[in-house]
Every structure is written in C-alpha cells, then in structure tokens.
Amino acid sequence: MPDTVSPAAAPRAHDPHHCTATIDPDCAQWLHASGLRPLQLRGRTLLPIVQGGMGVGVSAHKLAGTVASLGGVGTISSVDLRRHHPDLMERTHGLAPGAAARDAIDAANLEALTREIALARERAKDRGLLAINVMRAVTAYAPSITRALECGIDAVVVGAGLPLDLPELAREHPATALIPILSDARGVQLVVRKWERRQRLPDAIVIEHPRLAGGHLGAAKIADLHDPRFEF
C-alpha cells in the first residue's frame, strides 16, 4: 500500500454511543464477511477505510460526512473551502492583491471550515470519525487547526511538513486524535521525541513512501525516490 496507518489506543473524542454503533450495520456485516480487521482509533471501532484529504474543495462535508456515516474516517481538507459557499466567494471576489485580500480570504475559509464541520457532523449521524487535513506549509496552518478543534473535530491530520507544534496547538483538546503524515523513519523519530516532551504521542501515523504515494512528500528530487531511508 502507498499509505499505511498505524493506530494507537487512546480515549475516544466523543461518546454518544457504544463504539459498535460507529459502523453502519450493513457495512459491519460486509466487514465481518471480508475477514478484514476493523480500525481501532481513539476507542472507536471503524471500517478500515481512511478517506484522504483532497484540497481546493474536493474533500468537503458531503464526501467526509458520507464516509463517516458508513463507519470510516471521513476527512475534510482545509484548503480553500470557501469555494463551496457562494456568499463567501462573493465576499472575496475582486479584491485587490495584498495583505487585506489575503486576510479576507483566510477569514472566509475559516468560516467555511466551521460550516463544513457542522454539515459533515450532521451527515455522519454520530458514526465513524471526522478528521481535518491541514498542510503544515500553508500560512493558515495554525488558525485552521485551532478553528477545527473549537468545532469539535475528532482528528487532526497534518502533512506537508513536520508538525512539531501540533501537541501545543491541541493542548486544550486532549481527546482529539493527532495524526502526522510522514515519509521517512528520521521524521517519525523526530516527531515522536518532540511530542513526548509535551506528554503526547501520535494516535496514528500515516506513512507515505515518496515513490508510491501521491501528495506532499519528503523527496526533494527524483533520485531520492529509491533512497533506503524511505524503506522502513
């Protein structure tokens, strides 16, 4: 598999139902018949399906909420969610380039994120798990995570960089799953050591091999794709 997820046990973020109710009944039967093991994350029993974050409006509330409603991990991408909301697009249309325009767009996207999480939660009907995917490299990284946490997101997934400060950003939300996306063993070691100092550990780690996975990965050039450091 290009991407693999390694879960760790921890208390669940929300407890509206017993964990067996987090999977759609029909999907639970299919899972049992398949012989696959469910994914255990934050005390929840989930379908072993993790829908990834696809930016600029692809992974929004309809997709993420539907995946979660069936019992999987539905992920909202934080990138430019205002595109799903005509009023927010109208508000930010025709702005002159500059700091004021950037601030207005960032504010619109945070408002869109609030709406999208609420709509996804409604669609999920207390099943599955809802996550947000944020790129460490973007300027709205910290505000997006803070807003998602305030909105009660179940998990925060961060790629495109080392999220060494994620435990600090989430210090008031100890029940939320924190999941870094990493591509080499050195990055995993660094994140784990830094997080341990803040009394947190990743609830899961998404491993992306630069030769096999798509996304914002750790290889700076094509020759690096076969570097042994990515072979775990």
Side-chain angles (χ1 to χ4, degrees):
M1 293 177 61
D3 302 347
T4 59
V5 181
S6 302
R12 61 181 297 177
H14 299 278
D15 193 20
H17 301 293
H18 188 269
C19 64
T20 55
T22 60
I23 300 179
D24 172 82
D26 289 336
C27 291
Q29 291 183 6
W30 299 335
L31 176 62
H32 179 73
S34 74
L36 296 173
R37 291 194 303 173
L39 176 64
Q40 302 288 341
L41 187 61
R42 280 283 166 180
R44 301 185 187 203
T45 300
L46 304 163
L47 291 178
I49 296 174
V50 180
Q51 168 249 313
M54 294 165 278
V56 195
V58 179
S59 298
H61 77 271
K62 290 183 180 179
L63 177 59
T66 299
V67 171
S69 74
L70 297 174
V73 178
T75 306
I76 298 171
S77 170
S78 67
V79 179
D80 217 19
L81 285 169
R82 67 191 171 111
R83 295 184 179 275
H84 286 277
H85 302 272
D87 61 319
L88 299 179
M89 288 298 291
E90 178 64 26
R91 184 190 304 174
T92 53
H93 176 71
L95 297 175
R102 183 179 64 248
D103 291 344
I105 291 172
D106 286 346
N109 279 322
L110 289 177
E111 184 171 339
L113 177 58
T114 300
R115 298 180 189 180
E116 290 293 314
I117 292 174
L119 290 167
R121 184 72 69 192
E122 181 179 349
R123 183 176 286 251
K125 298 181 173 61
D126 290 324
R127 289 192 177 125
L129 183 140
L130 286 174
I132 183 176
N133 179 277
V134 185
M135 293 189 293
R136 180 63 183 85
V138 301
T139 56
Y141 159 74
S144 296
I145 288 176
T146 299
R147 178 63 60 89
L149 290 167
E150 291 171 349
C151 292
I153 201 72
D154 299 322
V156 175
V157 182
V158 178
L162 296 176
L164 301 179
D165 58 346
L166 186 53
E168 183 65 21
L169 292 172
R171 66 185 182 279
E172 296 181 4
H173 301 271
T176 303
L178 305 182
I179 304 172
I181 302 174
L182 302 165
S183 56
D184 65 23
R186 183 173 55 185
V188 172
Q189 289 177 333
L190 181 58
V191 166
V192 169
R193 287 173 182 171
K194 291 287 188 180
W195 286 24
E196 279 184 322
R197 296 174 186 172
R198 294 182 170 91
Q199 288 73 55
R200 290 292 295 262
L201 284 174
D203 294 277
I205 298 175
V206 178
I207 303 297
E208 289 187 326
H209 192 301
R211 184 168 54 85
L212 303 174
H216 304 269
L217 305 174
K221 52 185 181 294
I222 292 177
D224 290 342
L225 296 180
H226 300 280
D227 192 303
R229 75 179 187 273
F230 297 123
E231 293 300 336
F232 283 93

